[in-house]
Amino acid sequence: MTSDSRMAIFDLDLPALEKELQAMAMPRFRAKQIFQWLFEKRVNTFDAMTNISLPERAGLAERFTIFTGEIVRRQQASDGTEKVLLRWPGGGLTETVMIPCDDDYTDESGRTLVAHRRTACLSTQVGCPVGCAFCASGLLGFKANLSVGQVIEQAVRLTHQLEPERRLTNIVFMGMGEPLANFEVTVAAVKRLMAPAALGISGRKITVSTVGLPPQIRRLAEVGVPVTLAISLHAPNDELRKQIIPWAQAIAIEEIVAAGQYYFQTTGRELTLEYIMLDGLNTLREHADQLAGIAKRLRANVNLIYYNEVPDLPFRRPSGQVMLAFQTQLRSRGVNVHVRQSRGRDIAAACGQLARQDRLDAVAPPAGPSNDVPRTPAKVP
Ligand code: SF4
């Protein structure tokens, strides 16, 4: 339910909506029509659903609401990355990002074609309970879990920004929050995003990112959603990891590796290790060697990510040379490794930056560390 007591329609899957409609004396097939309007034709109102009778549309508007979040800010970076700041009932802010990528590729007959990837980066929580030392979301503290409908709503909001002939092709759960700390919602949202009657996105094009919660990684392996698992390692040994990720105090890398191996054995899906490069802190040659050892045990690909600097935090973005040297060292150890450009740098696209900026804007000047919620990470679930 939303604050106005109507039911949020994106909280329902197709069978649940069919049931609701039956209770309203409407035919079941209307549910499919409504989903088509919402997910394919991208309408904002029940009134726009013109193959549904007027009295039925009025009944729907009385019973359901479509969007529960309000768009507070929308920004587009010079590279096309779009960021949407949403305010939910109760005041919580989250960020949702669309990353466009038009890549040339050559098909079997030698023709050059363009792949239009449109990736949505979704949030699962308001703030984040992990509290990583380098992250703007961590600075916000943990506020609340999002609902399934609120996760789906973010993706749908982004489809409204797309050119009519484009669709979302990829989903990454890499926005605000730790997806596996909101486990049931994340899994239900993945299923909903995959459903042909909704967005119909292949599980292989969905990536769930986690700081590494071993019991939840094992559970995810067993729920039958074939997503790519991305483990945010960010440090190649426990000592260093504890300095930048508070939950590493309770979870050793060895436990994460064991859970990751279980995930691979159970699902057959390759893993990715995400590694934010923090200049001088985790970017030394010995770190590359340690990371290579972990990647090989997990048969994981490694993504090296340029750090997006956050005002008031002491971490720095490394130079291209540092990135290249680290990548070369990993390659020399036989690791499949890519450098990820940070997209949307000019709009503070690192997770949590826009929400934090919005909060700081709302707080009396001067904005600075004293205005931040103390970094008090929550207990590991
Ligand atoms: S990096 Fe991810 S896990 Fe860490 S505080 Fe930020 S959102 Fe949470």
Side-chain angles (χ1 to χ4, degrees):
M1 288 281 180
T2 66
S3 55
D4 69 4
S5 87
R6 285 177 296 171
M7 196 175 280
I9 200 154
F10 290 121
D11 268 331
L12 305 176
D13 60 11
L14 193 63
L17 181 58
E18 285 171 348
K19 236 169 118 186
E20 287 295 326
L21 296 185
Q22 275 182 314
M24 295 166 69
M26 284 173 68
R28 277 180 57 181
F29 69 83
R30 287 270 182 264
K32 259 201 180 134
Q33 291 178 319
I34 293 168
F35 267 34
Q36 268 174 356
W37 283 110
L38 293 173
F39 291 107
E40 280 175 38
K41 299 177 190 163
R42 305 170 188 173
V43 301
N44 280 327
T45 63
F46 292 108
D47 220 29
M49 302 180 180
T50 48
N51 58 356
I52 297 174
S53 73
L54 277 171
E56 284 176 333
R57 282 186 247 165
L60 290 170
E62 252 173 54
R63 180 101 180 101
F64 303 107
T65 180
I66 295 180
F67 291 125
T68 60
E70 171 205 350
I71 294 182
V72 180
R73 211 186 291 184
R74 192 181 263 163
Q75 284 182 302
Q76 185 166 43
S78 48
D79 63 7
T81 300
E82 282 191 65
K83 191 159 194 170
V84 177
L85 183 65
L86 288 166
R87 181 179 291 120
W88 301 104
L93 296 168
T94 62
E95 299 169 357
T96 303
V97 183
M98 156 102 76
I99 305 149
C101 183
D102 296 332
D103 271 344
D104 287 355
Y105 70 99
T106 309
D107 71 2
E108 311 86 62
S109 50
R111 281 178 310 172
T112 302
L113 302 170
V114 182
H116 300 280
R117 246 180 305 137
R118 296 290 178 271
T119 302
C121 177
L122 307 181
S123 296
T124 50
Q125 297 180 311
V126 179
C128 184
V130 184
C132 297
F134 52 83
C135 173
S137 292
L139 272 174
L140 295 167
F142 173 67
K143 300 280 192 295
N145 283 324
L146 293 181
S147 67
V148 181
Q150 288 170 330
V151 177
I152 302 299
E153 186 174 326
Q154 294 171 58
V156 173
R157 284 281 195 191
L158 292 181
T159 66
H160 286 228
Q161 321 265 106
L162 286 172
E163 312 90 316
E165 70 280 14
R166 300 271 169 261
R167 54 190 297 275
L168 287 183
T169 57
N170 298 64
I171 302 282
V172 293
F173 284 83
M174 291 186 179
M176 198 180 268
E178 161 55 52
L180 296 191
N182 192 8
F183 186 87
E184 274 77 19
V185 161
T186 297
V187 169
V190 167
K191 288 182 179 166
R192 201 75 60 76
L193 292 164
M194 290 170 61
L199 288 173
I201 296 171
S202 155
R204 292 175 181 272
K205 305 273 181 182
I206 299 177
T207 299
V208 173
S209 165
T210 176
V211 75
L213 302 178
Q216 288 83 346
I217 290 174
R218 288 193 164 82
R219 274 177 76 195
L220 187 66
E222 288 161 4
V223 293
V225 289
V227 295
T228 299
L229 185 67
I231 296 175
S232 300
L233 199 66
H234 303 328
N237 61 65
D238 287 323
E239 199 187 327
L240 183 53
R241 206 162 187 263
K242 283 177 193 170
Q243 287 175 34
I244 55 175
I245 303 178
W247 284 9
Q249 302 289 346
I251 305 166
I253 290 175
E254 266 314 300
E255 296 171 59
I256 297 172
V257 169
Q261 287 169 329
Y262 180 79
Y263 190 84
F264 177 71
Q265 284 154 11
T266 310
T267 64
R269 303 284 295 133
E270 278 185 358
L271 278 83
T272 305
L273 292 176
E274 305 287 327
Y275 196 91
I276 287 188
M277 296 283 283
L278 304 165
D279 196 29
L281 187 74
N282 62 358
T283 53
L284 307 182
R285 188 186 167 117
E286 72 207 53
H287 298 139
D289 289 336
Q290 291 166 354
L291 178 58
I294 296 167
K296 298 205 84 165
R297 288 176 63 204
L298 279 170
R299 300 206 232 169
N301 303 308
V302 173
N303 284 336
L304 302 178
I305 305 159
Y306 272 100
Y307 180 57
N308 264 345
E309 289 175 8
V310 177
D312 308 322
L313 294 184
F315 305 97
R316 293 289 155 253
R317 181 183 175 92
S319 66
Q321 272 171 325
V322 169
M323 297 293 285
L324 185 63
F326 203 85
Q327 182 185 29
T328 305
Q329 184 63 14
L330 282 164
R331 283 219 171 115
S332 74
R333 304 279 307 264
V335 175
N336 187 18
V337 51
H338 296 280
V339 171
R340 297 286 174 223
Q341 292 300 330
S342 2
R343 302 289 305 268
R345 209 179 169 210
D346 47 330
I347 54 162
C351 93
Q353 283 195 50
L354 200 58
R356 178 166 179 261
Q357 189 54 51
D358 204 75
R359 254 192 65 240
L360 293 178
D361 288 351
V363 170
S370 58
N371 287 330
D372 284 322
V373 174
R375 198 179 277 274
T376 44
K379 246 179 82 212
V380 178

